[in-house]
Amino acid sequence: MQFSLPDTISFLSGTPAALNALLRDLPEMWTRGNEGKNTWSPFDVMGHLIHAERTDWIPRARMILQFGESQPFLPFDRLGHEKESQGKSLSQLLDEFARVRSENLGELRALNLQPQDLDRRGQHPALGAVTLSQLLATWAVHDLTHLHQLSRVMAHQYCETVGPWSGYLGVLKCSAHSS
Amino acid sequence: MQFSLPDTISFLSGTPAALNALLRDLPEMWTRGNEGKNTWSPFDVMGHLIHAERTDWIPRARMILQFGESQPFLPFDRLGHEKESQGKSLSQLLDEFARVRSENLGELRALNLQPQDLDRRGQHPALGAVTLSQLLATWAVHDLTHLHQLSRVMAHQYCETVGPWSGYLGVLKCSAHSS
């Protein structure tokens, strides 16, 4: 499937409401439950998504447009959210994610990208040359990776509770390849 | 995690809005794209979820309360949605799912289940004896299994588009254990 900027923006616009509907007002055993030591709960995932909005997608898009391949992106800190989330409630994180996503999509639209811009290249510190369209597609698939993870982590809390049905529920067989 | 009826109802109430935010107004390449021959698109998943609302959860809960283990449930038809979805739009399916889910949660509340009811047993045609709480927990994890599947199917459409980032995106490494 070819990259489409309007379709990608359309998808990215929906994620905050989807996560809000899925998580808000749920009990802590679901929102704070994880899959064991050093794994993430839905609360942790929300913090990570906010951190990525702040430090990854739009800052890297600007790097590509401004510096091309001459300056590598700053490495992304996968644990960068831990301090920022401390003391916050899940509701605060959901609100914050909706706000930063909306601001970032506003910035993306304001860049007024033309088809030829999407092929411009930047320098990833580990992956090497990447294009702007690859970065923006990754933004969308990163949302999906964490939705995939969230659904698995939430299902895990009920893995015993479903009794003999566990064999029919594929999400309970998924290993943690998306954390 | 122990089964909780109010928490399960709270979770089940949110799924229609989550799917609506995720899928409505997206282009057909995302909503009708699947993972290859004999796999499901998001459109197919929505049809399946509606079919399960109609023939699985509440009808089986009623069977348990009325007949206990003396009469097995009717087998669930995993392809039962195919005819019902024909000619419909995704928007129609999203609306229909929200309506039948809301009706079913109304019926569930009207059953006024007491703690001792949750241990009552029914007869699954393949799995044998199952309890009412296991059935209701499975209703929730079934939503999560299909959210997990949907996120994987949607990510698949962009699996080439993300370029070298594919190695970092766990959802692209998930095999189809949840279809």
Side-chain angles (χ1 to χ4, degrees), chain A residues 38-113:
Chain A
N38 293 325
T39 64
W40 286 1
S41 68
F43 180 88
D44 298 322
V45 170
M46 287 310 306
H48 167 76
L49 288 172
I50 291 166
H51 189 70
E53 289 298 310
R54 293 236 166 82
T55 66
D56 196 328
W57 317 112
I58 290 291
R60 287 182 168 188
R62 291 198 182 285
M63 286 285 292
I64 292 175
L65 295 172
Q66 201 170 348
F67 300 108
E69 294 178 75
S70 69
Q71 276 194 32
F73 307 146
L74 290 176
F76 179 73
D77 181 359
R78 279 190 73 258
L79 300 178
H81 60 280
E82 289 187 345
K83 268 197 179 169
E84 291 167 12
S85 299
Q86 265 173 22
K88 292 185 182 165
S89 68
L90 180 68
S91 293
Q92 283 175 298
L93 296 187
L94 288 165
D95 290 343
E96 202 171 332
F97 178 59
R99 191 170 55 246
V100 289
R101 171 60 57 91
S102 165
E103 286 167 7
N104 279 339
L105 291 179
E107 286 207 45
L108 178 60
R109 286 189 194 94
L111 291 175
N112 192 26
L113 296 173

Side-chain angles (χ1 to χ4, degrees), chain A residues 1 3-4 7-8 18 21 27 29-30 126 134-135 138 144-145 148 151 155 157-158 161-165 168 170-171 174 177, chain B residues 1 3-4 7-8 18 21 27 29-30 126 134-135 138 144-145 148 151 155 157-158 161-165 168 170-171 174 177:
Chain A
M1 181 165 148
F3 178 76
S4 155
D7 292 348
T8 303
M29 46 188 177
W30 253 323
Q134 288 168 346
L135 173 71
T138 299
L144 290 167
T145 260
H148 186 256
S151 55
Q157 311 311 319
Y158 257 8
T161 321
V162 299
W165 267 289
Y168 289 1
V171 68
C174 184
H177 43 66
Chain B
M1 180 165 148
F3 179 76
S4 155
D7 292 347
T8 303
M29 44 188 181
W30 254 323
Q134 287 167 347
L135 173 71
T138 299
L144 290 167
T145 260
H148 185 256
S151 55
Q157 312 311 317
Y158 258 7
T161 320
V162 298
W165 267 288
Y168 288 2
V171 68
C174 183
H177 44 67

Side-chain angles (χ1 to χ4, degrees), chain A residues 1-5 7-8 10-11 13-15 17-19 21-22 24-27 29-30 56-57 60 73 124 126-127 129-131 133-138 140-142 144-145 147-152 154-155 157-165 168-175 177-179, chain B residues 1-5 7-8 10-11 13-15 17-19 21-22 24-27 29-30 56-57 60 73 124 126-127 129-131 133-138 140-142 144-145 147-152 154-155 157-165 168-175 177-179:
Chain A
M1 181 165 148
Q2 226 186 335
F3 178 76
S4 155
L5 184 59
D7 292 348
T8 303
S10 173
F11 169 78
S13 309
T15 309
L19 293 173
L22 193 65
R24 195 180 294 257
D25 301 327
L26 282 190
M29 46 188 177
W30 253 323
D56 196 328
W57 317 112
R60 287 182 168 188
F73 307 146
H124 187 283
L127 299 171
V130 289
T131 67
S133 70
Q134 288 168 346
L135 173 71
L136 299 175
T138 299
V141 179
H142 183 261
L144 290 167
T145 260
L147 192 63
H148 186 256
Q149 177 189 21
L150 271 179
S151 55
R152 190 189 69 229
M154 292 173 74
Q157 311 311 319
Y158 257 8
C159 63
E160 304 285 335
T161 321
V162 299
W165 267 289
Y168 289 1
L169 295 160
V171 68
L172 297 176
K173 293 174 211 154
C174 184
S175 58
H177 43 66
S178 67
S179 61
Chain B
M1 180 165 148
Q2 225 186 336
F3 179 76
S4 155
L5 185 58
D7 292 347
T8 303
S10 171
F11 169 78
S13 309
T15 309
L19 293 173
L22 192 66
R24 195 179 293 258
D25 302 328
L26 283 191
M29 44 188 181
W30 254 323
D56 197 327
W57 317 112
R60 287 181 169 189
F73 308 145
H124 186 283
L127 300 172
V130 289
T131 66
S133 70
Q134 287 167 347
L135 173 71
L136 299 175
T138 299
V141 179
H142 184 262
L144 290 167
T145 260
L147 192 63
H148 185 256
Q149 176 188 22
L150 271 178
S151 55
R152 190 189 67 228
M154 292 173 74
Q157 312 311 317
Y158 258 7
C159 64
E160 304 286 334
T161 320
V162 298
W165 267 288
Y168 288 2
L169 296 160
V171 68
L172 297 175
K173 293 174 210 153
C174 183
S175 59
H177 44 67
S178 67
S179 63

